[in-house]
Amino acid sequence: MATSTILPAQSTEALAITCADPACADPKDEAPADFTYKDGALKWDSTEIRDEDVITVLNTLGGTAEYTIFSLEPEKAAAPEEKSEGKEDGEGQKKSPFKLRTTNATVLPQGFLDKFQFQGLPAYLQDAKDVHVLISTLSGTGLAVAFFDEILHPLLRAISFEDAKYTVIKTKSAESVKEFTRFNLTDGANEGKEQVVIILSGDGGIVDTINELLQGKERPSTYVKPTFVQLPLGTGNALFHSLHKPSLLPSIYIQGLRTLLHGTPKALPIFKATFSPGARLLTNEGQTATPIPDNVVYGAVVASHGLHSTLVADSDTTEYRKHGDKRFGLVANDLLYPKDGAPHKYKTDVTLFQDGKEILLDRKEHGYVLATLVSNLEKAFTISPESKPFEAALRVVHFGTLNGDEAMDVMKAAYDNGSHLKNSQVGYEKVDGIRVVFREEGDDWKWRRCCIDGSIVGVEEGGWMEVRVLSEGEEAINVVAD
């Protein structure tokens, strides 16, 4: 696309305050003149910017530069366990592992502009009456605050989305997202107001919002679904990896920022998990058991029992969360190779609902039972290869009482494009719903815990869980995707 006056242009005053880092150019500075673009790299002098690091290109008003290129500096070479987790500054705050970079240009190759030139605010942002930036300070390894300060905030100012156009909320506790939804989103949605939330969080922030919007309430006909833009600052980021097109981009941050600028909202499919009356929501590292409103928890990712739910529950501690998604591997080793011998055999009756029929699985002891709406629980962990983005279809992955090595082989194979499904011991079905009845005896919740999108529910002896997908039109929110 050729440069045109109808494209949005930003003043040098707006761009001059976007970034205080030396990697960011002053738009009034002289711009390099000779750029070449080939094989996914924009080059000049001895410098280059690769496609996978580019966020957008803005037209510039005033100064010597016609364009300003916004990109992220790629992570420096580091050991795998050190990447993307950030380091603490002198005050104990996490720093973003990326830095915003701006580059001036007078003339740019047309092929580069065709890919990255900013075309103006997307319709969902233009139409919104209220816009919030919700920063989950507890998500993942604690990078959300630094990411907003160092990258998102400067970028919003650069595209002329000034501070006055949105409010910023930083969470203070595990209840903050629900409180934000209750006091900021619910009334507006019921009144038909277009609302947008740019959320710096993992899946938990989305799920907390859904439950607050749906729990125990009748929605009026005027209800308008709030629109969420997820910048993935969580641990596994299952929703982000599953709802977006497969990408070769090494950075989910780049993909998230591009989605913010160019994406389209779509209704997010949701399932309803109903529990027996004695079930309790377990929080505070399992120390607090709270009754569940209406015995219902809503989710958009996964409902599980067995190895997966125990793994998530046991790894959800302050100490383990410091390790990011590596916490799952640390706990999995303890569960699959316990000191007292073989992995636990979960005693449950599992019924699948398919085409109006109820199918009771033959086995009475299980190792893994997981129902999901999404394809990936992590970027490379493809648990349900047939699941498509925004498809309201529940699929169940399950296997029996395998030994530690066999179960570990299944988990490793899921990292190989979902090849665990080639294992004859693994079941995989598309279902209308699933019901799990718990036959494990004893007062301890440990072997009767379920995972609903990261939330842990303990079920009483003889209790049950039933999961069904909500019908089209019953969804609570939209999510912006590419």
Side-chain angles (χ1 to χ4, degrees), residues 160-480:
S160 294
F161 204 72
E162 295 89 358
D163 295 2
K165 294 183 178 179
Y166 60 90
T167 58
V168 177
I169 299 97
K170 296 180 181 179
T171 63
K172 296 180 180 179
S173 72
E175 295 298 310
S176 292
V177 174
K178 292 181 180 180
E179 292 169 357
F180 159 75
T181 303
R182 188 179 312 134
F183 297 117
N184 292 274
L185 293 186
T186 302
D187 287 346
N190 289 335
E191 294 166 4
K193 187 180 295 185
E194 297 281 352
Q195 301 175 99
V196 170
V197 180
I198 303 171
I199 184 167
L200 286 71
S201 166
D203 300 324
I206 298 284
V207 173
D208 283 350
T209 301
I210 291 170
N211 276 280
E212 185 60 36
L213 287 171
L214 292 180
Q215 203 70 260
K217 301 177 180 69
E218 285 284 338
R219 288 189 298 185
S221 59
T222 53
Y223 184 90
V224 171
K225 295 185 288 292
T227 293
F228 277 69
V229 187
Q230 188 184 24
L231 293 175
L233 274 298
T235 303
N237 301 303
L239 272 178
F240 186 88
H241 292 306
S242 299
L243 297 181
H244 290 70
K245 296 174 183 177
S247 173
L248 297 177
L249 290 173
S251 169
I252 56 174
Y253 302 109
I254 289 284
Q255 190 175 12
L257 292 168
R258 290 183 186 176
T259 300
L260 167 69
L261 298 179
H262 309 293
T264 302
K266 299 177 183 177
L268 179 68
I270 295 170
F271 64 76
K272 178 181 180 180
T274 307
F275 291 90
S276 48
R280 296 291 183 266
L281 183 66
L282 305 181
T283 55
N284 189 26
E285 300 186 7
Q287 300 302 306
T288 304
T290 307
I292 301 170
D294 302 320
N295 302 314
V296 168
V297 181
Y298 295 92
V301 180
V302 63
S304 71
H305 172 62
L307 175 61
H308 179 268
S309 59
T310 305
L311 187 157
V312 173
D314 287 357
S315 66
D316 192 18
T317 66
T318 301
E319 188 60 33
Y320 272 123
R321 279 194 169 275
K322 294 177 181 178
H323 299 282
D325 58 4
K326 300 169 193 62
R327 65 188 172 103
F328 300 127
L330 296 172
V331 176
N333 193 67
D334 294 337
L335 293 174
L336 294 179
Y337 303 100
K339 295 178 181 179
D340 57 356
H344 184 75
K345 300 175 181 180
Y346 296 83
K347 298 177 178 63
T348 56
D349 295 324
V350 178
T351 301
L352 306 181
F353 302 111
Q354 288 180 310
D355 302 322
K357 300 178 181 179
E358 297 185 9
I359 302 169
L360 178 65
L361 297 185
D362 291 337
R363 73 174 83 96
K364 297 298 181 181
E365 295 179 332
H366 302 263
Y368 192 95
V369 179
L370 182 145
T372 184
L373 288 172
V374 304
S375 59
N376 289 58
L377 299 186
E378 302 170 22
K379 182 174 184 178
F381 191 79
T382 308
I383 192 65
S384 178
E386 294 181 10
S387 296
K388 304 295 187 294
F390 295 96
E391 180 189 20
L394 197 66
R395 289 177 171 85
V396 177
V397 181
H398 57 94
F399 57 78
T401 55
L402 307 183
N403 64 39
D405 288 342
E406 290 171 332
M408 184 64 79
D409 286 344
V410 172
M411 295 297 99
K412 288 180 178 178
Y415 284 99
D416 182 20
N417 296 314
S419 63
H420 60 297
L421 300 184
K422 298 176 182 178
N423 189 324
S424 61
Q425 299 182 93
V426 178
Y428 183 52
E429 286 90 22
K430 182 179 178 181
V431 301
D432 301 318
I434 182 174
R435 183 180 178 91
V436 180
V437 178
F438 298 85
R439 296 185 293 103
E440 203 88 37
E441 297 179 352
D443 295 331
D444 195 339
W445 303 109
K446 184 172 179 62
W447 305 120
R448 295 195 306 271
R449 290 177 294 182
C450 301
C451 172
I452 308 296
D453 290 11
S455 295
I456 303 302
V457 176
V459 181
E460 75 275 24
E461 184 178 338
W464 50 267
M465 170 183 74
E466 186 168 313
V467 180
R468 300 271 188 168
V469 181
L470 294 188
S471 301
E472 184 177 350
E474 293 184 301
E475 305 93 346
I477 66 171
N478 294 321
V479 173
V480 177

Side-chain angles (χ1 to χ4, degrees), residues 24-60:
C24 293
D26 186 327
K28 295 180 181 179
D29 290 345
E30 185 174 349
D34 298 321
F35 289 88
T36 61
Y37 184 54
K38 185 179 180 182
D39 298 328
L42 183 73
K43 297 182 179 181
W44 70 99
D45 300 329
S46 60
T47 308
E48 73 172 23
I49 301 174
R50 300 202 61 81
D51 279 0
E52 58 261 32
D53 299 320
V54 178
I55 303 169
T56 192
V57 178
L58 301 182
N59 288 53
T60 309

Side-chain angles (χ1 to χ4, degrees), residues 52-231:
E52 58 261 32
D53 299 320
V54 178
I55 303 169
T56 192
V57 178
L58 301 182
N59 288 53
T60 309
L61 283 176
T64 59
E66 292 290 333
Y67 306 101
T68 301
I69 304 165
F70 280 74
S71 61
L72 293 188
E73 286 193 359
E75 292 178 278
K76 295 180 174 62
E81 65 273 12
E82 295 174 351
K83 297 184 97 176
S84 296
E85 294 184 6
K87 296 180 179 180
E88 293 185 353
D89 60 20
E91 298 178 355
Q93 294 293 318
K94 285 292 181 91
K95 294 182 178 179
S96 169
F98 292 100
K99 289 184 178 181
L100 186 64
R101 175 184 185 184
T102 64
T103 305
N104 293 338
T106 302
V107 178
L108 285 171
Q110 191 60 45
F112 185 77
L113 288 175
D114 288 344
K115 275 190 177 181
F116 298 115
Q117 193 169 20
F118 183 59
Q119 304 294 316
L121 292 176
Y124 75 86
L125 273 180
Q126 293 182 32
D127 296 340
K129 301 300 182 184
D130 291 318
V131 178
H132 306 275
V133 175
L134 179 58
I135 303 171
S136 178
T137 60
L138 303 176
S139 288
T141 55
L143 293 175
V145 173
F147 189 84
F148 174 76
D149 291 340
E150 299 175 26
I151 296 171
L152 180 60
H153 187 205
L155 180 64
L156 291 175
R157 298 178 80 176
I159 63 173
S160 294
F161 204 72
E162 295 89 358
D163 295 2
K165 294 183 178 179
Y166 60 90
T167 58
V168 177
I169 299 97
K170 296 180 181 179
T171 63
K172 296 180 180 179
S173 72
E175 295 298 310
S176 292
V177 174
K178 292 181 180 180
E179 292 169 357
F180 159 75
T181 303
R182 188 179 312 134
F183 297 117
N184 292 274
L185 293 186
T186 302
D187 287 346
N190 289 335
E191 294 166 4
K193 187 180 295 185
E194 297 281 352
Q195 301 175 99
V196 170
V197 180
I198 303 171
I199 184 167
L200 286 71
S201 166
D203 300 324
I206 298 284
V207 173
D208 283 350
T209 301
I210 291 170
N211 276 280
E212 185 60 36
L213 287 171
L214 292 180
Q215 203 70 260
K217 301 177 180 69
E218 285 284 338
R219 288 189 298 185
S221 59
T222 53
Y223 184 90
V224 171
K225 295 185 288 292
T227 293
F228 277 69
V229 187
Q230 188 184 24
L231 293 175

